[in-house]
Amino acid sequence: MSRSTADSTPSVTLPTPKERRRLREALALSEEQVAEAMGVTKATVKAWEAGRSAPRGRKREAYARLLGACGPEGPPPSPGPAGRAEAVSGAALTPSAPSSPVSSRPPATPAGDGVSMPAERLKPGAPEPETVEKPEAVEESRAVEKPEAVGPAEPAAPVEAPAGSGGLTPEEAFDALYAHAAPGLVHQTYLLTGRRALSREAVERAFQQAWQRWPEVAVDADPVGWVRATAYEYALSPWHRLRRAHKHPDAAPAEAGRRGQELLSALLELPPPYRRTVLLYDGLGLDLPDTAAETEASTPAAANRLLHARTVLGRKDPELAEPEELHRRLNALVAEEPAATALPAARAVRTGSEHRTRTWTRAVVGVTAVLIAMTGFTAVTAPTRYVPVNAPGETVNGVPVRGGPEKLRPEDVELRDRLRSEPNPGPERLLPVAG
């Protein structure tokens, strides 16, 4: 059965997953309302906004109209090969930046204004709250203007296109993105985990996955954010606790200041979701909706995580109780020059990604072939009819003796034969005589 054209070739260009969530929140729509309007479940809407799936066919057009991505004249035409090539080369060199400038935020107010939270909800290790009365108070608690893009490394120089070509090749675009973002991401991942080897491994694995899904990453509005989210997810996996090399954090570098070491130690004592939220919001300068989308949490939950992390850090160091001081010190910790790290070359990362893909493909093909061979061998050698099995004889003990007269002994048999063979020598039997 052939697949319809609407399903195989989407005619509507949807916004990025982060933009879908931002547009929905700007329209004051909940996930339940969008799910009801589209005729799907809430989990499907979550998958659309997380980037795990996308609507197709008529649902794709309806979803685009609901978010306002299409005008009344209809969906925009899909880009041609030239447009896609320009999007690949342009998106790969775009640095990570928040979706909206930070300077457009309202003036700062005290951190506790507008938010009422019980004291027990701010204890370390308390269960994560899912709702808050005014999450916008977190946005208002920042008193320092932050630059539009924060990054530890300067943007790499543009790679000149080869003569006679219309743009960068995928390999050149990937290499430029790797050279620009890899050192800073290793430094950020180290601040998130406190383990240098794990941070290098996480960033390398993230770029390998990015090369495997390069057509998707190249046209993403924030390719650095895509790789950053993948690296953070890998670095914060709880399975690394079972590895001896990554069981304990590394010692802080000697060149780091005392305040930097204290802040890093306080960060590592936070639960991983809270640590990631405060690093994205106060360290990298992401807005609250973007932070919630990258951590796959609701905006109120992200606000509560941030308030909880600020409270715990304030207890560790009274100076960090002020949001502007926490932002200044954490921003300086993120923006400082990353330590010299022996990162593999971009070509080695691409080669390793392709080798990993080939290895897994061959393993899957091999296992499938073995299963097919075993199934065929079983089908050929299996009997076509039931053959009863003759069980061998066994000695049965404990069965009662057979009933009836007992078996005669040899002397009894001899007496019986003699009585039968000899005549009776006794007197004749008296018979009655009729009168």
Side-chain angles (χ1 to χ4, degrees), residues 391-426:
E394 297 180 358
T395 303
V396 180
N397 298 322
V399 180
V401 297
R402 188 169 51 183
E406 298 181 0
K407 186 176 180 180
L408 298 177
R409 295 175 295 178
E411 53 270 19
D412 296 335
V413 173
E414 181 182 359
L415 176 60
R416 183 192 61 184
D417 295 341
R418 190 178 61 184
L419 291 174
R420 288 179 179 178
S421 60
E422 295 179 359
N424 188 3

Side-chain angles (χ1 to χ4, degrees), residues 171-366:
E171 290 79 7
E172 293 171 343
F174 177 84
D175 295 352
L177 176 65
Y178 181 80
H180 163 64
L185 288 178
V186 171
H187 180 63
Q188 296 170 22
T189 312
Y190 168 69
L191 298 179
L192 194 67
T193 61
R195 298 162 174 83
R196 298 181 183 86
L198 179 59
S199 61
R200 292 192 297 268
E201 179 183 341
V203 173
E204 183 179 356
R205 184 65 61 86
F207 273 100
Q208 288 181 355
Q209 295 185 17
W211 180 244
Q212 293 174 6
R213 306 173 63 178
W214 184 246
E216 173 189 345
V217 178
V219 298
D220 194 281
D222 185 13
V224 178
W226 193 100
V227 180
R228 179 181 62 235
T230 306
Y232 285 7
E233 289 289 342
Y234 181 85
L236 293 178
S237 174
W239 295 105
H240 296 307
R241 301 174 184 174
L242 304 178
R243 304 169 62 181
R244 178 177 298 180
H246 304 319
K247 185 174 295 185
H248 303 288
D250 300 338
E255 60 272 11
R258 181 182 61 83
R259 289 191 171 186
Q261 295 180 5
E262 293 177 354
L263 180 56
L264 180 58
S265 301
L267 279 176
L268 295 179
E269 292 181 6
L270 291 173
Y274 297 80
R275 192 188 320 156
R276 182 177 180 181
T277 301
V278 73
L279 179 63
L280 291 174
Y281 188 82
D282 283 326
L284 300 182
L286 268 68
D287 289 337
L288 192 59
D290 294 337
T291 302
E294 185 162 329
T295 56
E296 296 187 0
S298 63
T299 303
N304 277 321
R305 289 177 180 178
L306 188 59
L307 292 176
H308 177 83
R310 286 177 172 178
T311 303
V312 174
L313 293 177
R315 292 174 182 172
K316 297 291 182 182
D317 188 353
E319 296 181 0
L320 299 179
E322 295 295 333
E324 57 271 15
E325 178 66 18
L326 173 63
H327 160 64
R328 187 186 63 81
R329 289 174 55 178
L330 189 57
N331 185 263
L333 193 63
V334 171
E336 69 182 10
E337 188 69 20
T341 306
L343 290 175
R347 183 175 181 179
V349 174
R350 289 189 280 106
T351 304
S353 175
E354 295 168 358
H355 176 71
R356 179 182 296 272
T357 303
R358 286 194 301 268
T359 301
W360 279 104
T361 303
R362 291 172 181 173
V364 171
V365 171

Side-chain angles (χ1 to χ4, degrees), residues 70-76:
C70 297
E73 65 277 2

